Amino acid sequence: MSDTPVVSEHPGRFDSRPDEDCFHCGLPVPPGNAAFVAKIDGQPRSMCCAGCAAVAQAISSAGLSRYYRERTASASTARDAFPGSPSQFGVFDNPLVQKNFVTAVVDGGREAALILEGIHCAACVWLNEHHLRNLPGVLDVQVNYATHRARIRWDNDRIRLSEIMQAVRAIGYEAHPYDPGRQQQLLDVERRKMLRRLAVAGALGMQVMILAVAMYAGVWTGMEERYRDFFQKLSMLMTLPVLFYSAQPFFIAAWRDLSVRRAGMDVPVTIGISLAFAASAFSVATGQGEVYFDSICMFVFLVLGTRTLELGARKSAADAADVIGQARPAGAARLCADGDVEQIAAVELSPGDRVLVRPGEVVPADGVVVAGRSTVDEAILTGEAMPQPRREADEVIGGSINIDSPITVQVTRTGADSALSQIQQLLDRALTGKPRVSQLADRISGFFVMAVLLIAAGVAGYWWRAGNPDWLSITVSVLVVSCPCALSLATPAAVTATVGRLMKAGVLLTRARTLETLARISKVVFDKTGTLTLGELRCSAIRTAEGVHRNDVLEVAAALEQQSEHPVGRAISRAGVNLDLPRVENVVNEPGGGICAHILGKPYYIGSPHFIAEKTGLEANSDEAGSRTTVFLADAGRILGEFVFSDEIRDEAPRLIGQLRELGLEISILSGDQRGPVLAVADALEIKSARWQLSPGDKLRAVHQDQVQGERVAMVGDGVNDAPVLAGADVSIAVAQASPLAAAAADVVILNEDTRMIAQAILAGRRTLRVIRQNLTWALAYNLSALPAAALGFVPPWLAAIGMSASSLIVIANALRLR
């Protein structure tokens, strides 16, 4: 039998009852109206309108009817979600609109961050991912259940973003570009629902507890039977809203787990409170036995309170990402060619535009100051507390705040290419993955729940056969006391707390596994320039061969280096900024060595002495030593000139090296620079292991050699030539102002100029792993000790509820210390 829905709108084909609800959206089917019917998994299902029937048809025709078996809430109202005209989404295909949330990816596709409204459970995530992946042209879809944020990658030649958003609406959900304000509204709605359930459980639970105290007192002092029966019936009535409203998420989650033949942590919770309520209701009806309404209310209240705190911990890192997103400016004051100022939306800016930024305003896009002098507050982006001075030719970051004076900024990057968007993308990537220890805890939790259910069944059977009248309460205690909530919370609570704290300090983690690996690092390797030194090389001397003019040498060198991102190349480019540079052809850059190119058909070479000797056979000798770096320029026949550079050791470098030594880490330098400058820095910082004149391949081989010897290596770099070794290290760390390639390969990005954050990140990794181990140890020890006590009848249900909730609260409180 086909699963394709059969839709009918003829009266008499399906007679709906007045109390029947729509199978798709859950709204009542209007009585007396022509009803719609769809076959889902071979069963006729009533629909309230043509919209729900069409949505159900789209789901079933795509082979996704499993959604209806796994969902834990009704879909969005199809009257609202019924597909409209695709043209209404056409605005999102506009390149100007896409600038802020769409990026081009390596394989030629595009990637966007969207928020999905209507996500209620894991089944909703499954449905959206599978539905969109089946669309021709969609390359990948990942939906983050915690944030409801989807990252979608597609081939724009085969499918448009508007069609993807239309497809989301076709199955009853709404998609829109990621917007921090709207995301916060969704989080607030979820929090308000949780608080309402908690309030109902708390308010009614207190009344039930008061009645329970009276009944407990009556056992000792005596109580008339009619009052006892009245108190029990009243307690049952007040427990009903707690059971069917406050505890509703437990039942929904348990049913979802059981429907896919999986035992989640809500299964024993639901079985426990259901058994307790059934036994209590039976006692009220027969007038014999004990009632447990007070234990039920207390248990639901404590678990909801625990999960409310869990929700806050789980969202903390996502909130950090939203703070970054909220820094994005809405408007800009663009300078026209005639000198007038026009107010436009920031999304309309393009590279090359000039904008006026007044004191107190947000810089609308990444750019360079072309007029004025001021200070800017970059705290929200870099964690740097003090405003930073900016003058002409200095870069400013979009989202930073101008403090003192008006400045004119020429825009260099906008939208998804901006630093703000790139930071947010990296943070999103860190939040979507799971560390290995978290995956292990999840597997343990799954086995543990099955074991608890089997043990509870065995305990119930034993005490029932033994004739113990408290067999039911003992069984409920076993189900409740051993709930593995604390075990499942142990890792995510710690990780989210640390990620949020480091983000505020200016340290961006780009992968979920990074914290776990940082904690196990045994050796830190530095590339010298830009990490231990400022990396702002200054051309302190230019020596030329006999008969060669200084400006001629500088013009050729600056022409060869004008596209270089290496500190030496940038220093030469700055020295020749006012010169008329010749045209360069056939440029070949050898990272770690130098550059060769042709000018007017003649070959030129600039680089280290070893590079010059390798390319020309000429011997390049220098009288310089110590902390000075030298680079030579040559043609095919002779050395034309020598450039001498000086660099300074960072002020915080000695303290950083001291902190790393206090952590027991081995330290070394792997540099492409010459022997003298490398040894000078190593001696100044008392670093015993240093190697020089290494190519990127040499650095990578050195790191692999350390790894073979059992070292866990963290590599700190900032340049293009560091990208291979950064990718090969156990943990890669890119410092502020690192090249885009180095930052893309890094697991950790230091957003401010304080390299001492490297030691803080390693320390945070160790503290996080220690807290995770503490949490896991506590959770396992609690469950392994509480379970036997409950099975022996020493733990009443109310105490089991307190113990289970307290164990989760202890785990969360321990994790929040990391903040």
Side-chain angles (χ1 to χ4, degrees):
M1 182 179 293
S2 172
D3 284 346
T4 302
V6 180
V7 180
S8 172
E9 50 184 345
H10 302 289
R13 288 288 301 273
F14 184 87
D15 296 326
S16 63
R17 297 182 302 274
D19 59 346
E20 195 162 24
D21 293 336
C22 175
F23 183 72
H24 178 75
C25 72
L27 291 178
V29 175
N33 290 356
F36 296 84
V37 181
K39 278 191 175 181
I40 306 296
D41 288 335
Q43 298 294 322
R45 303 293 186 182
S46 60
M47 304 287 163
C48 65
C49 63
C52 284
V55 172
Q57 181 172 358
I59 291 174
S60 188
S61 298
L64 302 175
S65 55
R66 174 182 168 190
Y67 160 73
Y68 290 109
R69 299 193 298 272
E70 295 189 9
R71 64 177 179 174
T72 60
S74 300
S76 301
T77 308
R79 295 185 180 96
D80 299 328
F82 184 69
S85 170
S87 61
Q88 71 184 96
F89 292 109
V91 64
F92 295 112
D93 294 330
N94 188 320
L96 287 176
V97 176
Q98 291 187 359
K99 283 174 65 176
N100 271 340
F101 68 98
V102 176
T103 57
V105 292
V106 177
D107 57 6
R110 297 187 181 183
E111 184 176 277
L114 303 178
I115 291 294
L116 301 184
E117 290 188 26
I119 296 289
H120 298 293
C121 61
C124 299
V125 172
W126 178 90
L127 174 63
N128 278 275
E129 288 183 341
H130 283 71
H131 179 64
L132 294 181
R133 283 173 183 159
N134 288 335
L135 298 177
V138 174
L139 306 177
D140 188 38
V141 181
Q142 291 183 343
V143 180
N144 186 321
Y145 173 60
T147 61
H148 299 177
R149 197 177 305 171
R151 300 203 70 80
I152 302 174
R153 195 156 48 90
W154 73 95
D155 183 350
N156 205 55
D157 294 332
R158 300 172 61 193
I159 191 170
R160 300 286 180 178
L161 180 59
S162 58
E163 296 174 282
I164 295 173
M165 299 175 75
Q166 179 77 8
V168 173
R169 170 173 280 196
I171 55 174
Y173 298 86
E174 290 292 337
H176 56 81
Y178 167 69
D179 174 65
R182 193 165 185 178
Q183 170 73 350
Q184 191 59 46
Q185 290 177 358
L186 296 177
L187 297 180
D188 289 342
V189 168
E190 183 179 358
R191 183 172 177 270
R192 284 197 296 269
K193 287 182 179 178
M194 186 80 76
L195 290 176
R196 280 198 296 267
R197 298 183 193 277
L198 183 65
V200 169
L204 295 178
M206 284 191 292
Q207 307 306 315
V208 173
M209 287 297 297
I210 292 173
L211 295 176
V213 169
M215 287 187 285
Y216 290 144
V219 173
W220 298 98
T221 62
M223 176 179 286
E224 293 184 26
E225 186 175 341
R226 60 192 178 107
Y227 288 117
R228 189 196 59 151
D229 292 344
F230 174 72
F231 285 169
Q232 287 182 346
K233 292 176 181 177
L234 185 59
S235 296
M236 184 175 70
L237 288 175
M238 288 190 290
T239 303
L240 287 173
V242 175
L243 187 69
F244 293 110
Y245 174 70
S246 297
Q248 187 184 55
F250 309 153
F251 287 92
I252 290 174
W255 176 252
R256 179 196 66 212
D257 291 337
L258 293 174
S259 65
V260 294
R261 299 178 180 179
R262 186 183 66 183
M265 67 179 65
D266 285 306
V267 172
V269 170
T270 303
I271 294 176
I273 59 179
S274 297
L275 284 176
F277 184 82
S280 301
F282 181 78
S283 297
V284 171
T286 61
Q288 297 178 351
E290 299 293 331
V291 296
Y292 307 103
F293 298 122
D294 55 329
S295 296
I296 294 171
C297 293
M298 179 185 293
F299 174 72
V300 172
F301 175 75
L302 290 173
V303 174
L304 282 175
T306 301
R307 295 192 179 181
T308 302
L309 293 176
E310 174 194 347
L311 178 65
R314 184 166 51 91
K315 294 290 193 290
S316 61
D319 290 344
D322 290 339
V323 168
I324 290 176
Q326 289 167 1
R328 194 185 308 278
R334 183 168 61 185
L335 295 174
C336 303
D338 58 5
D340 290 341
V341 178
E342 61 173 342
Q343 291 293 328
I344 62 170
V347 70
E348 297 180 40
L349 290 174
S350 301
D353 286 346
R354 294 194 173 193
V355 294
L356 176 65
V357 185
R358 302 176 182 88
E361 292 183 344
V362 177
V363 177
D366 295 354
V368 177
V369 178
V370 294
R373 178 178 296 186
S374 184
T375 59
V376 296
D377 182 357
E378 300 175 347
I380 197 171
L381 305 172
T382 67
E384 183 66 52
M386 295 298 295
Q388 302 298 304
R390 293 291 183 266
R391 57 185 180 182
E392 290 186 21
D394 286 346
E395 292 187 354
V396 289
I397 304 174
S400 56
I401 302 172
N402 183 26
I403 301 297
D404 296 328
S405 307
I407 54 175
T408 301
V409 176
Q410 182 168 322
V411 176
T412 56
R413 294 186 300 272
T414 61
D417 295 327
S418 66
L420 199 67
S421 294
Q422 291 172 6
I423 290 172
Q424 189 165 300
Q425 291 167 21
L426 292 173
L427 188 58
D428 286 346
R429 185 171 71 183
L431 295 174
T432 54
K434 280 188 175 183
R436 288 184 292 272
V437 67
S438 178
Q439 297 168 6
L440 176 62
D442 289 345
R443 288 195 296 270
I444 294 175
S445 298
F447 292 126
F448 189 82
V449 170
M450 289 302 301
V452 167
L453 293 176
L454 293 175
I455 292 172
V459 168
Y462 173 80
W463 286 118
W464 182 71
R465 287 195 301 271
N468 190 328
D470 295 327
W471 69 271
L472 181 59
S473 65
I474 294 174
T475 303
V476 170
S477 295
V478 170
L479 289 168
V480 170
V481 79
S482 55
C483 174
C485 300
L487 191 62
S488 298
L489 284 172
T491 298
V495 170
T496 53
T498 301
V499 169
R501 175 180 173 272
L502 288 177
M503 186 65 223
K504 292 177 182 178
V507 180
L508 175 63
L509 303 182
T510 67
R511 293 172 178 85
R513 65 172 178 82
T514 302
L515 277 173
E516 187 177 2
T517 313
L518 272 173
R520 297 187 169 96
I521 288 301
S522 61
K523 184 174 185 178
V524 181
V525 177
F526 290 90
D527 170 62
K528 176 184 69 68
T529 305
T531 59
L532 297 175
T533 65
L534 292 174
E536 293 293 334
L537 292 180
R538 183 175 58 87
C539 187
S540 56
I542 301 177
R543 302 189 179 100
T544 63
E546 185 176 352
V548 180
H549 195 274
R550 179 183 184 277
N551 278 1
D552 293 338
V553 170
L554 185 55
E555 284 179 0
V556 173
L560 267 62
E561 296 280 10
Q562 59 186 333
Q563 300 299 327
S564 175
E565 292 189 3
H566 193 279
V568 168
R570 293 199 297 263
I572 292 176
S573 297
R574 287 194 299 269
V577 68
N578 295 320
L579 299 178
D580 186 15
L581 303 183
R583 183 180 177 183
V584 180
E585 299 176 333
N586 304 325
V587 179
V588 178
N589 184 2
E590 297 189 11
I595 295 175
C596 55
H598 287 76
I599 297 178
L600 298 177
K602 183 178 179 180
Y604 288 92
Y605 309 88
I606 185 169
S608 65
H610 177 75
F611 176 80
I612 297 297
E614 183 182 82
K615 297 298 181 183
T616 67
L618 300 172
E619 186 175 351
N621 295 317
S622 174
D623 297 330
E624 293 293 335
S627 61
R628 291 177 179 268
T629 298
T630 58
V631 166
F632 292 87
L633 175 70
D635 57 19
R638 64 170 176 164
I639 304 293
L640 300 177
E642 176 188 7
F643 295 82
V644 182
F645 303 90
S646 58
D647 196 2
E648 295 182 7
I649 295 176
R650 289 178 177 268
D651 292 337
E652 68 273 13
R655 179 59 181 152
L656 167 63
I657 300 301
Q659 289 175 336
L660 295 176
R661 287 200 181 99
E662 290 173 3
L663 293 174
L665 299 172
E666 186 180 344
I667 304 165
S668 69
I669 298 176
L670 297 178
S671 177
D673 207 346
Q674 298 156 33
R675 179 177 183 274
V678 173
L679 288 180
V681 172
D683 291 342
L685 297 175
E686 299 181 357
I687 298 175
K688 296 179 180 179
S689 174
R691 297 175 63 182
W692 51 88
Q693 290 187 318
L694 300 178
S695 68
D698 293 333
K699 294 179 182 180
L700 184 58
R701 282 188 288 273
V703 168
H704 283 169
Q705 185 177 1
D706 287 335
Q707 291 170 330
V708 169
Q709 294 174 356
E711 300 281 5
R712 296 291 184 92
V713 181
M715 178 68 197
V716 185
D718 74 329
V720 171
N721 60 335
D722 295 324
V725 69
L726 286 172
D730 294 287
V731 174
S732 50
I733 303 174
V735 298
Q737 309 302 324
S739 70
L741 188 57
D747 300 309
V748 181
V749 180
I750 308 299
L751 299 176
N752 56 41
E753 294 289 342
D754 190 355
T755 55
R756 289 176 297 178
M757 289 296 104
I758 296 171
Q760 295 303 311
I762 295 174
L763 182 60
R766 291 186 178 184
R767 291 183 61 202
T768 302
L769 192 60
R770 184 165 61 248
V771 167
I772 289 173
R773 286 171 176 165
Q774 291 170 353
N775 286 348
L776 290 174
T777 301
W778 160 255
L780 288 171
Y782 163 77
N783 280 289
L784 293 177
S785 58
L787 187 58
L792 293 173
F794 298 145
V795 182
W798 63 269
L799 185 57
I802 292 177
M804 190 281 294
S805 299
S807 67
S808 297
L809 291 175
I810 288 172
V811 164
I812 292 176
N814 192 37
L816 292 181
R817 292 190 302 114
L818 295 168
R819 299 181 64 181

